[in-house]
Amino acid sequence: MENFINTITQGDSFQLIKQIKNQSIDLVLTDPPYFINGSQGFKGEEWDSSKALLNPELVFKIENRLLSKQQAKKEYEKAIKQYFVKMTEMLIPKIKNDGSMIFFNRRHNLHTIIEVLENDKYTLDEWMKTEAYKSQPEPSSKWYTMQLEWKKTNPNVLITENEHSEYALIAINMTVSNPNKITQISEYWNDNLHSDNLYYATSPADSKTIFYDKAKHVSPKPISIWTKLMKRFSEPNDLVLDIFSGSGTTALVAEDLGRNYIAFEYDDNQVSRSLERLDTFKKEMPHSAFLFDD
């Protein structure tokens, strides 16, 4: 695990997660594949398609239209749900008792994550050992969750209107009661929104964020959002995990904010570009580039 810290590692995230120590991660901040598919065949980059999740026989049937649209949709949905269930179940043991997880994705994929977290319940012995045992009722799950909406003000012209919003799930491990961290969720978004759970931000699809030209990624997230979230839900020297590093934004922001980080990315070309982007940032921006109020 030590070899992973403060670098971006190429490989299969699910295999690499196994090498992370249990209860070692303070914050997961990640943007998993969205698995965007057409009703027939596969759409988009292979890493963002459920094609890799299906067995070859099913792929053949779908691509040759031997299954109806409804049957193909069911196979897509089944494979994608299994993927997010596996991902969440693998991450849960790695999070500290007061740690947090933040996922950006399509709303129905976030619902799958929530279902897994809701089933992560306390035993009586576990609950009696928590700090909150004597002061509050036992929660139905170890996790406090809230969904947030990020509205793109200048979305990529290639995406449909119903994809102009993305959603984030914030999940806080309640094994150690931390009401201040929970309060920060609504306070942060309301301070910026002045409306309910809607955060307007500039999409990087058409804008130039810091070292955006080095990112060369189909959907890099705005540095401003990542910075604000990392400051709210982690402390200096905390360990932040991104299992889908993509353009390397998590590593870049963690480097700037004095957090340790572990970043995994499957695409070796993207790893090289991300490391170049990170190296350029460290050389050209030696001091904090992102000045935000807490």
Side-chain angles (χ1 to χ4, degrees), residues 47-272:
W47 59 266
D48 202 24
S49 165
S50 63
K51 181 175 182 178
L53 306 180
L54 302 177
N55 64 53
E57 182 180 354
L58 273 175
V59 171
F60 177 83
K61 289 181 178 179
I62 292 172
E63 291 185 327
N64 290 278
R65 302 195 176 189
L66 300 178
L67 297 180
S68 68
K69 289 185 178 181
Q70 185 177 13
Q71 289 172 323
K73 183 179 179 181
K74 286 183 178 179
E75 294 297 341
Y76 288 141
E77 292 174 347
K78 179 181 176 181
I80 292 168
K81 184 167 186 175
Q82 289 174 341
Y83 182 92
F84 279 95
V85 167
K86 180 179 180 180
M87 178 194 74
T88 310
E89 290 179 342
M90 294 185 73
L91 285 173
I92 285 174
K94 310 303 178 183
I95 310 303
K96 291 183 179 179
N97 287 338
D98 62 346
S100 305
M101 295 190 287
I102 304 175
F103 303 94
F104 276 75
N105 217 271
R106 304 173 83 187
R107 182 170 276 177
H108 62 272
N109 292 336
L110 297 180
H111 287 170
T112 297
I113 297 174
I114 291 172
E115 288 176 9
V116 177
L117 296 177
E118 287 176 343
N119 289 322
D120 186 26
K121 304 178 184 297
Y122 291 105
T123 65
L124 179 59
D125 287 344
E126 286 176 332
W127 176 243
M128 291 178 67
K129 293 176 182 178
T130 66
E131 296 181 9
Y133 169 64
K134 295 183 179 180
S135 60
Q136 64 189 53
E138 179 181 352
S140 58
S141 165
K142 293 181 182 179
W143 299 88
Y144 177 94
T145 62
M146 182 176 182
Q147 293 186 71
L148 309 168
E149 182 177 4
W150 165 41
K151 186 75 172 180
K152 304 176 184 179
T153 55
N154 58 338
N156 190 313
V157 295
L158 299 178
I159 66 175
T160 60
E161 186 174 350
N162 62 2
E163 294 171 333
H164 286 189
S165 284
E166 292 187 22
Y167 298 88
L169 170 66
I170 294 179
I172 295 177
N173 189 336
M174 291 294 294
T175 304
V176 174
S177 181
N178 195 338
N180 290 332
K181 187 180 287 187
I182 293 173
T183 302
Q184 287 176 350
I185 298 178
S186 57
E187 284 182 354
Y188 161 53
W189 293 93
N190 287 338
D191 285 348
N192 286 273
L193 302 175
H194 304 294
S195 61
D196 293 332
N197 296 338
L198 188 61
Y199 177 45
Y200 288 92
T202 300
S203 168
D206 299 311
S207 64
K208 297 295 183 181
T209 62
I210 295 176
F211 304 112
Y212 174 69
D213 59 321
K214 300 290 185 182
K216 297 180 181 178
H217 189 270
V218 66
S219 182
K221 288 297 181 289
I223 286 174
S224 59
I225 293 178
W226 247 233
T227 299
K228 197 71 174 181
L229 290 171
M230 196 177 294
K231 289 189 73 174
R232 285 285 180 173
F233 297 101
S234 69
E235 301 291 338
N237 300 315
D238 276 359
L239 184 55
V240 180
L241 172 65
D242 186 350
I243 60 173
F244 302 101
S245 179
S247 63
T249 297
T250 298
L252 190 151
V253 173
E255 184 77 36
D256 183 67
L257 297 181
R259 273 65 167 169
N260 296 303
Y261 61 91
I262 294 175
F264 299 148
E265 171 57 39
Y266 183 77
D267 186 335
D268 54 354
N269 290 324
Q270 193 61 57
V271 171
S272 298

